[in-house]
Amino acid sequence: MIFVTVGNHFQGFERLLKKVDEISPRIPNEILVQKGYSKYVPQNTKYFDFVPLSMAMEYLQKSDLVISHAGIGTIILCKEYGIPLLLFPRRKKYREHGTDHQVEIAQVLEKRGDKNIYIVYEEDQLEEKIMEAVGRKEIVETGNRGRENLIRTIKEFIETF
Amino acid sequence: MEGEKKIGLICSAGGHFTEMLQLREAFKGHRIFVITYREKATLNQENTYYLETWRSPTGFIVGLMKIFIIFLKEKPDILFSTGSEIAVPPFYLGKFLFRTKLIYLECSAQVYRPSLTGRCVYPITDLFLVQWEFLLKKYGPKAKYVGGLI
């Protein structure tokens, strides 16, 4: 299954939803869409607006690929479960977010070269990237050193007083 | 000081909430409660107080009173937040009326630029963590980088 998610942000993400809907008949995998506050109603795939986080995590764990805005929650969870993730950042100029910080996130991850993350900045590249991503099985890196360090630092702080 | 402490975890829905859940292990052995916005994505969580999203000044004042009542009841020793703006009122209330210690983790979405929330709480926060090294210079000497979640 391919799980498409646009998160909890109050602005819609019509560009991604329209494109996924348009190309979905040509994609071999079943597609499930979380459309959030977007107005566009998918015609060719199953969809919902919001579910509790635990349920979203279930969908995510069943997925062969997750397609998402460059939202932190999805990036973290895909990293944790080792699920390939295709990022398509929201843009300020299309009123998809207040700033272009998602482009910055995508660029910084691209530079770092995470093996499990695919990045697309324009809609017309989506189909090709999706086919590339579902056709590849990457070896997943496990563990999250950053998370361990953060937990240790916070724990130590709590113990100091 | 050794022993069990009361810790309030405060964050909005979405990535902020996921970041908070990722770090829950840091609070093991302590009693915790959560304050977040009432959204579908945050429902069904344990020990959680829900605030309505602040859409008006009246809503904001109601939220502030609600936080005050929660703090009277819970008597937190420490507050921890992963953002966003929901953190600002409880941090100031906690610091000046309840003498809580404050821990703030800047969201990993902030790669090069400080968030408005981060700038609001930086002066009063006791442990201020960022998830990208670029931000250390932007904030100042109190900011710490030990790694990021993404």
Side-chain angles (χ1 to χ4, degrees):
Chain A
M1 181 177 84
I2 296 176
F3 183 39
V4 180
T5 174
V6 303
N8 273 269
H9 186 66
F10 70 91
Q11 287 162 298
F13 197 7
E14 321 297 334
R15 267 191 318 144
L16 176 61
L17 298 195
K18 280 180 192 165
K19 196 66 189 180
V20 165
D21 205 24
E22 181 197 317
I23 62 180
S24 64
R26 299 193 289 275
I27 305 290
N29 309 54
E30 184 197 351
I31 297 178
L32 175 64
V33 175
Q34 181 256 329
K35 72 195 242 347
Y37 290 105
S38 314
K39 290 189 185 71
Y40 185 76
V41 179
Q43 304 297 308
N44 302 316
T45 65
K46 284 190 215 158
Y47 68 91
F48 60 88
D49 57 357
F50 297 100
V51 289
L53 183 60
S54 54
M55 201 180 277
M57 283 158 82
E58 263 178 50
Y59 293 141
L60 206 122
Q61 287 180 73
K62 284 182 201 157
S63 302
D64 304 301
L65 173 69
V66 172
I67 303 173
S68 173
H69 67 311
I72 299 305
T74 313
I75 298 172
I76 290 176
L77 293 173
C78 284
K79 180 171 177 162
E80 182 170 357
Y81 303 132
I83 294 158
L85 172 63
L86 198 166
L87 295 178
F88 181 59
R90 288 173 181 258
R91 301 298 302 264
K92 187 185 175 187
K93 65 178 175 184
Y94 300 120
R95 298 189 178 178
E96 293 158 354
H97 216 302
T99 67
D100 273 331
H101 73 272
Q102 296 201 346
V103 177
E104 293 176 359
I105 293 166
Q107 286 170 341
V108 84
L109 293 178
E110 196 171 26
K111 207 172 161 195
R112 195 168 76 184
D114 291 23
K115 288 198 173 62
N116 251 4
I117 296 182
Y118 301 82
I119 293 160
V120 160
Y121 297 100
E122 303 298 334
E123 302 102 286
D124 56 13
Q125 298 160 4
L126 261 171
E127 185 171 358
E128 195 185 326
K129 260 302 188 241
I130 292 171
M131 297 311 278
E132 185 190 330
V134 293
R136 245 161 84 176
K137 288 264 179 265
E138 283 291 345
I139 297 156
V140 177
E141 297 164 44
T142 51
N144 186 335
R145 182 76 62 80
R147 178 182 170 199
E148 288 162 22
N149 289 347
L150 282 166
I151 288 172
R152 182 163 15 91
T153 306
I154 294 168
K155 266 187 174 166
E156 282 168 7
F157 176 81
I158 294 170
E159 299 311 323
T160 55
F161 65 91
Chain B
M1 198 175 81
E2 293 286 310
E4 193 186 63
K5 296 182 180 79
K6 176 63 79 73
I7 303 174
L9 311 179
I10 303 158
C11 66
S12 43
H16 300 281
F17 198 83
T18 308
E19 288 201 332
M20 191 268 284
L21 289 180
Q22 286 274 310
L23 297 171
R24 271 189 103 121
E25 204 186 308
F27 310 104
K28 249 185 198 163
H30 302 285
R31 286 172 301 152
I32 60 164
F33 67 95
V34 177
I35 300 178
T36 186
Y37 289 129
R38 186 186 307 283
E39 303 230 20
K40 265 193 203 168
T42 55
L43 291 181
N44 309 327
Q45 299 288 332
E46 287 175 10
N47 300 331
T48 299
Y49 296 95
Y50 292 102
L51 302 182
E52 308 307 325
T53 321
W54 299 326
R55 289 195 181 89
S56 66
T58 330
F60 179 76
I61 291 163
V62 170
L64 208 60
M65 284 167 61
K66 216 168 164 182
I67 294 161
F68 185 71
I69 292 164
I70 295 166
F71 283 2
L72 281 178
K73 189 182 155 210
E74 297 284 353
K75 299 182 183 67
D77 302 302
I78 298 168
L79 297 177
F80 170 68
S81 181
T82 48
S84 54
E85 78 292 330
I86 190 171
V88 180
F91 265 41
Y92 277 84
L93 269 182
K95 182 82 177 184
F96 295 110
L97 295 183
F98 295 87
R99 293 168 175 268
T100 55
K101 293 285 175 190
L102 304 176
I103 308 172
Y104 183 78
L105 175 70
E106 180 81 309
C107 181
S108 48
Q110 308 300 136
V111 182
Y112 303 109
R113 284 174 297 211
S115 66
L116 187 56
T117 305
R119 281 182 292 168
C120 285
V121 302
Y122 178 80
I124 60 164
T125 299
D126 300 289
L127 175 62
F128 193 95
L129 297 161
V130 296
Q131 302 196 50
W132 296 97
E133 266 182 300
F134 311 107
L135 280 179
L136 287 175
K137 275 188 194 153
K138 296 284 169 76
Y139 272 113
K142 204 203 283 179
K144 257 191 179 177
Y145 170 79
V146 296
L149 292 169
I150 67 169

